[in-house]
């Protein structure tokens, strides 16, 4: 992929575009920001002489936002894919020392440059499809130095690719083997040493935990949240993937940005999320990989007006997904989202799940120039095709990159 700082500037007047509703539109970029957007006949006189970019009738959308990924890790877990095909469950694999623990071993063995290189290849796939902002979690290091290594790679990726990265500290992802039987002590380490140190180094944008019977309890999760909030760091939660332990209501009480997975979620959890403005992040890739049959409560979330985001949950175990558009397709096919819901789910609601609602996920004057020009007739095609990549031109952080 071409080095970001050698890409051409997107400054100028972009014409011959169509908005998502099909209406003709134009937009002006200056100094890497959208200065104006509106109908082609209404371009303000001050911009009329700006250099022109011919959109050739393309459909324009905001840059896509992938709001839940575990992109940085060592190795891969194709062996577990085969084990599951032979009948093993995710929990059985985890209890047998596979699962997250096996990625922890491979991540600890990898050097920072090696992690950067492997994550770069995956990131390039997502960027080529129009992703302009992405969340990257730690959680495969599980010690101060090893979590630092993952988070540093996340920061380096942002620099190298000119992509907005939100780095999430997921120290409470799994119990590292050296703390077997001592989960309280490990949570002490997460709260009292790892989190403050990594926060002081500017490596944390949010804190996450895995609240599940194979991971951490509600009480342990709450300790992590309290530590995060005492440092002023926003929180989010992996909750309700395998069972409903009441994680969503706890997360909502702590003003969480998002609650993710939530296949198992009670009405009380939904009501609490609505009251706190917490985004429901749907992860159809994990649902599909695990051949889950317990659907998230889409109808109840919709009825309550909880914003629904859709993400890849890219990780080597349960969702080795490298296409956010495929996730939009699956959110429609498997979860019965409407196409507009799925498109909001990979743009504005995903931005909100990252606390980026004022800068990403919507096309509006004053925002950084992140948008995608698609060679498609109809916005529904974004969720309709799968197994390929629509042709597109990407403007990311004010520079023009070619998609497919
Ligand atoms: N939920 C997930 O989807 C990933 N982590 C988590 O807490 C899966 C992580 C893995 O299996 O490696
Ligand atoms: Fe996840």
């Amino acid at each position: 992929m071409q080095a970001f700082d050698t890409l051409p500037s997107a400054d100028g007047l972009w014409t011959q575009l169509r908005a998502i509703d099909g209406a003709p539109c134009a937009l002006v970029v200056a100094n890497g920001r959208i200065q104006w957007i509106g109908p082609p006949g209404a371009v303000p006189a001050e911009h009329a002489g700006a250099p022109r970019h011919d959109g050739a009738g393309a459909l324009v959308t905001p840059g896509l936002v992938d709001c839940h990924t575990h992109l940085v890790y060592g190795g891969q877990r194709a062996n577990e894919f085969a084990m599951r095909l032979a009948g093993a469950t995710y929990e059985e694999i985890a209890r047998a020392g596979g699962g997250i623990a096996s990625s922890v071993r491979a991540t600890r063995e990898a050097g920072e440059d090696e992690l950067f290189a492997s994550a770069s290849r995956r990131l390039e796939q997502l960027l080529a499809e129009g992703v302009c902002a992405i969340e990257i979690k730690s959680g495969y290091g599980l010690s101060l130095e090893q979590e630092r290594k993952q988070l540093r790679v996340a920061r380096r990726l942002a620099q190298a690719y000119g992509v907005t990265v939100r780095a999430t500290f997921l120290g409470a992802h799994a119990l590292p083997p050296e703390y077997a039987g001592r989960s309280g002590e490990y949570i002490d380490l997460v709260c009292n040493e790892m989190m403050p140190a990594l926060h002081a180094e500017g490596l944390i944008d949010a804190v996450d935990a895995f609240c599940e019977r194979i991971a951490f309890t509600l009480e342990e999760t709450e300790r992590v949240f309290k530590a995060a909030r005492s440092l002023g760091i926003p929180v989010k939660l992996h909750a309700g993937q395998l069972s409903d332990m009441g994680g969503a209501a706890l997360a909502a009480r702590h003003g969480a940005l998002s609650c993710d997975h939530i296949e198992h979620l009670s009405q009380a959890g939904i009501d609490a999320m609505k009251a706190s403005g917490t985004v429901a992040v749907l992860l159809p890739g994990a649902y599909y990989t695990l051949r889950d049959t317990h659907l998230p409560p889409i109808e109840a979330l919709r009825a309550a007006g909880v914003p629904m985001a859709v993400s890849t949950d890219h990780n080597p175990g349960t969702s080795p997904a490298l296409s956010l558009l495929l996730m939009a397709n699956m959110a429609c096919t498997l979860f019965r989202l409407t196409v507009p819901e799925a498109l909001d789910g990979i743009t504005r609601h995903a931005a909100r799940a990252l606390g980026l609602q004022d800068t990403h996920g919507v096309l509006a004057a004053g925002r950084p120039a992140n948008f995608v020009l698609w060679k498609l007739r109809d916005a529904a095609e974004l969720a309709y095709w799968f197994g390929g990549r629509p042709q597109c031109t990407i403007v990311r952080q004010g520079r023009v990159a070619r998609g497919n």
Side-chain angles (χ1 to χ4, degrees):
M1 203 174 246
Q2 192 182 339
F4 181 73
D5 52 10
T6 67
L7 293 171
S9 162
D11 282 7
L13 170 60
W14 292 74
T15 57
Q16 305 292 329
L17 304 176
R18 284 175 303 121
I20 208 153
D21 62 1
C25 90
L27 63 80
V28 175
V29 176
N31 302 317
R33 286 185 179 268
I34 299 175
Q35 299 293 335
W36 177 87
I37 178 165
V43 179
E46 67 207 276
H47 298 305
R52 298 221 167 196
H53 301 269
D54 182 355
L59 184 79
V60 62
T61 69
L64 307 185
V65 179
D66 194 352
C67 66
H68 178 143
T69 87
H70 310 246
L71 199 72
V72 176
Y73 53 84
Q76 45 75 27
R77 307 221 304 265
N79 62 323
E80 290 177 17
F81 179 63
M83 283 165 78
R84 270 198 309 277
L85 294 179
T89 67
Y90 184 49
E91 288 184 77
E92 284 163 2
I93 291 169
R95 292 191 196 284
I100 295 171
S102 94
S103 291
V104 171
R105 286 191 293 277
T107 303
R108 287 178 170 184
E109 276 164 24
E112 187 179 309
D113 290 345
E114 188 182 340
L115 291 178
F116 177 81
S118 64
S120 291
R121 289 192 291 276
R122 299 187 280 265
L123 180 61
E124 289 181 9
Q125 303 271 326
L126 294 165
L127 298 183
E129 210 181 54
V131 168
C132 292
I134 186 168
E135 190 234 26
I136 300 179
K137 300 176 193 289
S138 67
Y140 290 121
L142 309 184
S143 72
L144 175 58
E145 313 80 81
Q146 295 289 344
E147 290 285 299
R148 177 188 287 126
K149 181 172 71 175
Q150 274 194 283
L151 292 167
R152 281 175 48 94
V153 171
R155 290 282 186 246
R156 280 176 61 187
L157 291 167
Q159 275 297 320
Y161 288 92
V163 56
T164 303
V165 170
R166 301 305 279 171
T168 297
F169 172 57
L170 179 55
H173 191 197
L175 194 61
E178 59 276 16
Y179 278 85
R182 298 186 291 138
S183 80
E185 283 173 53
Y186 179 65
I187 294 295
D188 288 342
L189 179 76
V190 166
C191 296
N192 303 334
E193 290 179 41
M194 293 160 75
M195 195 189 303
L198 297 169
H199 172 65
E201 293 169 34
L203 290 172
I204 303 182
D205 300 316
V207 165
D208 191 358
F210 189 17
C211 181
E212 196 55 78
R213 58 190 182 224
I214 57 166
F216 296 99
T217 65
L218 215 51
E219 292 68 36
E220 290 164 339
T221 301
E222 179 148 43
R223 290 183 53 204
V224 173
F225 282 178
K226 284 186 170 155
R229 295 187 65 205
S230 76
L231 295 169
I233 312 171
V235 299
K236 45 179 51 224
L237 188 65
H238 276 76
Q241 184 180 11
L242 310 170
S243 61
D244 184 5
M245 307 212 316
L250 171 71
R253 264 207 312 287
H254 287 271
L257 290 170
S258 71
C259 235
D260 304 39
H261 284 292
I262 51 165
E263 280 85 355
H264 301 260
L265 175 63
S266 66
Q267 187 62 44
I270 293 172
D271 294 343
M273 288 173 69
K274 172 64 185 172
S276 61
T278 300
V279 177
V281 178
L282 306 173
L283 304 171
Y287 177 91
Y288 164 81
T289 301
L290 297 178
R291 300 183 73 216
D292 201 345
T293 53
H294 197 289
L295 286 163
I298 302 299
E299 194 52 62
L301 287 164
R302 185 184 281 137
V306 174
M308 294 182 277
V310 173
S311 167
T312 58
D313 189 18
H314 178 91
N315 75 75
T318 60
S319 192
L322 290 167
S323 166
L324 187 56
L325 292 180
L326 176 59
M327 299 303 114
N329 170 276
M330 288 165 60
C332 296
T333 309
L334 299 174
F335 293 171
R336 288 298 184 232
L337 260 60
T338 65
V339 169
E341 283 173 338
L343 298 182
D344 280 347
I346 57 174
T347 53
R348 65 191 184 98
H349 295 326
R352 185 161 166 197
L354 298 180
L356 294 175
Q357 61 275 12
D358 294 333
T359 50
H360 290 70
V362 175
L363 289 174
R367 295 183 172 226
N370 291 302
F371 55 87
V372 190
L373 310 186
W374 306 94
K375 276 205 172 171
L376 298 172
R377 283 250 33 97
D378 183 345
E381 288 179 82
L382 288 167
Y384 159 75
W385 300 105
F386 68 88
R389 269 206 183 115
Q391 270 186 295
C392 63
T393 298
I394 298 150
V395 171
R396 194 169 68 247
Q397 288 188 5
R399 291 183 188 269
V400 187
R402 282 179 58 84
N404 257 35

